[in-house]
Amino acid sequence: MPFPFQQDFPLAPLNTFGLPAQARRYAEIQSPGQLVQLVRSGELEGERVIVLGGGSNVVLSGDLDATVLRICIRGRELIGSDDDHHFVRAGGGENWPDFVRWTLEMGWPGLENLSLIPGTVGAAPVQNIGAYGMEVYERFLLLEAVDLKSGAIISFSFDDCHFGYRDSVFKQEAAGRFVITAVTFRLPKRWTPLTRYLDVSRELAARGIIDPTPLQISDAIISIRQRKLPDQAIQGNAGSFFKNPVVSAECFDKLLARHPAIPSFRQLDGSIKLAAGWLIEEAGWKGRALGTVGVSADHALVLVNLGGATGADVLALADAVGRDVADRFGVHLEMEPILL
Ligand code: EPU
């Protein structure tokens, strides 16, 4: 029996930017077995295949002459523990914020700093999601993925994933080749709070909390995010639109001489991470719009759909912002979401 694809399927409700696009073929995948069968049937041969999770980190440039697979694989469980860790496994289609909250309520802390990041469990390792002093690689054990070429189920260890800042093998060499069906996390039994990020320590202090529990950290982070980042349900967006640029110490010294207030974060290798939000605000773009797309007035790193935006509109604004930042600071901004 042929696979039950839907034709010319509208994707606007399935991407948080709310950009219009149609998929020539579309299907929802409920289990790894179903995906393996689909690959082995040969129906994907010679076909461009695009995988969607929560659609919260993509920019759709237009209609997709492709098969779009939305990963809806559910399930979450404690699969074991050792002296130091709980091992928790979740299906690639699980909602990330719900999953994080569930682990905390079950008494397995470790993911609280990543609370309320939109998206799915399967998408989390792809761009190595991060926030408030933590990246997901720090809690990662392994993942399972289906190879779209062979239909084999392959396990990826930490080393296999080549994690970097908002980056992994799944955005590089392996882009488009694998569908992540499950991720296993290693959560520390001897938990210590991670509250050195200024926004977090301030929020906890404002709440009069000195010795926070994991749930209190999660609550604080949820309210910081709700206050600082535009709500995707109200104003379509894909979170941070640009990566924070990393420059050499030499380049930074020159910038600092001309812009003494420039925020900077020294990296372990001596390079300096800059705040793209600050560069964009200084370039005068915060709260400004170009047609149907704007730079959020709440946070300059977020581009927002003001109503009726297309992918081309988003890219036009991104280009204008990028050019102004390059002219003013000589720094190149790299787009963070995946362009489809
Ligand atoms: N800033 C401004 N103006 C703005 C926004 C920010 O000047 O409008 C400056 C401030 O100096 C601020 C600094 O930028 O101190 C950093 O801002 P923030 O703490 O909001 O973090 P960010 O660097 O802009 C990164 C991640 C976010 C993550 C936050 C918190 C990237 C690309 N973004 O943003 O991740 O939530 O840190 O950890 O690394 C995402 O990836 O989609 C995302 C939202």
Side-chain angles (χ1 to χ4, degrees), residues 61-199:
S61 57
D63 290 346
L64 297 172
D65 182 15
T67 297
V68 171
L69 302 177
R70 182 152 171 257
I71 307 309
C72 303
I73 300 167
R74 306 296 302 268
R76 50 195 196 188
E77 59 180 325
L78 180 71
I79 57 166
S81 61
D82 64 14
D83 287 349
D84 299 321
H85 301 100
H86 296 290
F87 301 111
V88 182
R89 180 175 181 274
E94 285 286 334
N95 173 275
W96 177 263
D98 292 350
F99 170 67
V100 170
R101 204 64 194 179
W102 173 76
T103 57
L104 299 176
E105 279 159 7
M106 295 300 283
W108 309 318
L111 295 173
E112 57 284 344
N113 288 47
L114 306 179
S115 294
L116 208 65
I117 296 182
T120 57
V121 165
V126 174
Q127 59 147 342
N128 183 23
I129 57 170
Y132 307 104
M134 168 174 288
E135 292 184 359
V136 79
Y137 81 84
E138 294 169 66
R139 304 295 191 221
F140 177 91
L141 181 66
L142 56 87
L143 64 78
E144 292 139 57
V146 171
D147 182 347
L148 287 171
K149 272 197 182 151
S150 65
I153 295 182
I154 296 179
S155 179
F156 284 77
S157 68
F158 177 89
D159 286 341
D160 295 333
C161 290
H162 304 172
F163 289 119
Y165 167 55
R166 293 297 190 277
D167 201 23
S168 77
V169 73
F170 303 103
K171 277 179 96 172
Q172 304 293 337
E173 308 92 278
R177 169 94 190 249
F178 298 95
V179 175
I180 297 170
T181 52
V183 184
T184 302
F185 301 90
R186 54 201 278 280
L187 305 178
K189 284 188 173 169
R190 277 181 284 277
W191 174 83
T192 47
L194 197 65
T195 56
R196 62 172 182 269
Y197 203 92
L198 194 61
D199 276 352

Side-chain angles (χ1 to χ4, degrees), residues 57 117 127 130-133 165-166 197 199 225 228-229 238-244 263 265 273-279 281 286 296-302 336:
N57 200 48
I117 296 182
Q127 59 147 342
Y132 307 104
Y165 167 55
R166 293 297 190 277
Y197 203 92
D199 276 352
R225 292 190 74 97
K228 286 203 153 184
L229 296 167
S240 296
F241 195 87
F242 299 103
K243 291 186 185 183
N244 283 326
F265 309 91
K273 193 184 267 188
L274 305 175
W278 187 88
L279 301 173
E281 185 169 347
K286 190 168 183 172
S296 170
D298 298 327
H299 199 298
L301 201 44
V302 184
E336 200 240 353

